[in-house]
């Protein structure tokens, strides 16, 4: 059944119609970590199919159980599956109701301390989805944990572009907010990290880091005091 859920939309719909979602949610509470991991994987496939399927999984109260799996004592594979599924529950257009997914914020902030690349990647993607929108959403992300923004900035220097990309997207979303929200990023010493990304071998990272810096330098007078970067910014922007 789980393999069917990873197929086409019509296959996923058949799995939903068979009543699989509540069963999988119940299996998230199994005493067997392998069963919990497979249940998380199946729910992630269903949630990733469409916004409607995502909302059905949320309505089945899967998120609280998934968040419990993101415990330090959980096996790495289980943490990977759970983080990926949480990421799928936070993405999509139209986005899910923020009140339905915001409980994930403190757990995701804690998950950023993981050393596992896959877990970090999906946690950063989830935070990028949650910070994409109005200033109240951005503020909720900022207020989740005092160390969240500094940790995202730190991850801009991760060895893997797979981690850098969603961390950069999340930081880029925050600096689209008001001046105070942008200041949380500059206070975390983000500019040196962003400047280093101008030299990334990935064009998409170079472009997004330029976009992020441009939003910072479009802020208030204190934020545009970083004129010393303007020449380097222009040079790298033209070379993209």
């Amino acid at each position: 059944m789980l393999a069917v859920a990873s197929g086409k939309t019509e296959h996923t719909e058949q799995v939903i119609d068979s009543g699989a979602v509540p069963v999988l949610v119940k299996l998230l509470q199994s005493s067997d970590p392998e069963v919990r991991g497979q249940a998380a994987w199946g729910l992630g496939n269903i949630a990733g199919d469409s916004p409607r399927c995502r909302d059905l999984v949320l309505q089945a109260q899967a998120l609280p159980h998934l968040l419990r799996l993101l415990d330090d004592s959980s096996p790495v594979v289980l943490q990977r599956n759970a983080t990926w599924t949480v990421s799928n529950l936070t993405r999509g257009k139209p986005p899910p109701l923020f009140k339905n997914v915001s409980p994930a914020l403190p757990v995701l902030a804690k998950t950023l301390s993981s050393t596992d690349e896959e877990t970090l990647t999906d946690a950063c993607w989830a935070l990028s989805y949650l910070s994409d929108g109005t200033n109240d959403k951005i503020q909720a992300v900022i207020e989740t944990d005092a160390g969240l923004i500094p940790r995202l900035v730190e991850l801009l220097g991760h060895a893997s572009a797979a981690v850098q990309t969603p961390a950069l997207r999340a930081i880029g979303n925050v600096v689209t907010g008001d001046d105070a929200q942008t200041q949380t990023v500059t206070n975390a010493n983000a500019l040196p990290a962003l400047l280093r990304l101008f030299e990334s071998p990935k064009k998409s990272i170079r472009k997004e880091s330029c976009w992020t810096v441009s939003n910072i330098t479009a802020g208030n007078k204190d934020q545009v005091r970083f004129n010393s970067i303007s020449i380097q910014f222009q040079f790298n922007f033209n070379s993209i």
Side-chain angles (χ1 to χ4, degrees), residues 191 195 198 213 217 224-238:
L191 278 167
L195 288 174
F198 285 0
V213 170
T217 57
V224 300
R225 71 184 185 276
F226 300 102
N227 289 331
S228 60
I229 70 168
S230 61
I231 295 176
Q232 186 174 0
F233 171 74
Q234 186 64 40
F235 174 81
N236 283 280
F237 186 82
N238 290 337

Side-chain angles (χ1 to χ4, degrees), residues 43-44 47-48 50-51 54-55 57-58 63 66-67 82-98 100-105 108 121-132 137 141 173:
L43 289 166
S50 68
R54 173 202 69 203
D55 290 344
V57 175
L58 284 169
L63 185 60
L66 288 164
L67 296 178
T83 310
W84 174 68
T85 301
V86 170
S87 177
N88 279 352
L89 288 173
T90 59
R91 71 179 178 92
K93 298 294 182 182
L97 290 175
F98 192 69
N100 291 342
V101 289
S102 58
L105 282 170
L108 290 169
T121 298
D122 286 319
C124 287
W125 275 121
L127 288 165
S128 77
Y129 302 139
L130 289 165
S131 59
D132 183 13
K137 291 183 179 181
V141 171
N173 288 340

Side-chain angles (χ1 to χ4, degrees), residues 143-225:
E143 292 178 352
T144 295
D145 188 303
L148 192 155
I149 299 299
R151 177 55 175 159
L152 285 172
V153 170
E154 184 181 0
L155 291 174
L156 296 179
H158 196 277
S160 172
V163 175
Q164 289 177 346
T165 299
L168 177 58
R169 179 67 55 83
I171 290 295
N173 288 340
V174 173
V175 300
T176 64
D178 60 33
D179 289 347
Q181 291 166 341
T182 299
Q183 193 64 42
T184 64
V185 173
T186 57
N187 287 348
N189 205 29
L191 278 167
L194 290 166
L195 288 174
R196 286 191 289 271
L197 292 181
F198 285 0
E199 305 298 329
S200 170
K202 289 184 69 68
K203 182 177 180 180
S204 59
I205 289 180
R206 297 198 305 272
K207 291 186 72 171
E208 190 144 2
S209 61
C210 287
W211 171 77
T212 302
V213 170
S214 72
N215 276 322
I216 293 173
T217 57
N220 61 36
K221 290 182 179 180
D222 288 334
Q223 288 155 359
V224 300
R225 71 184 185 276

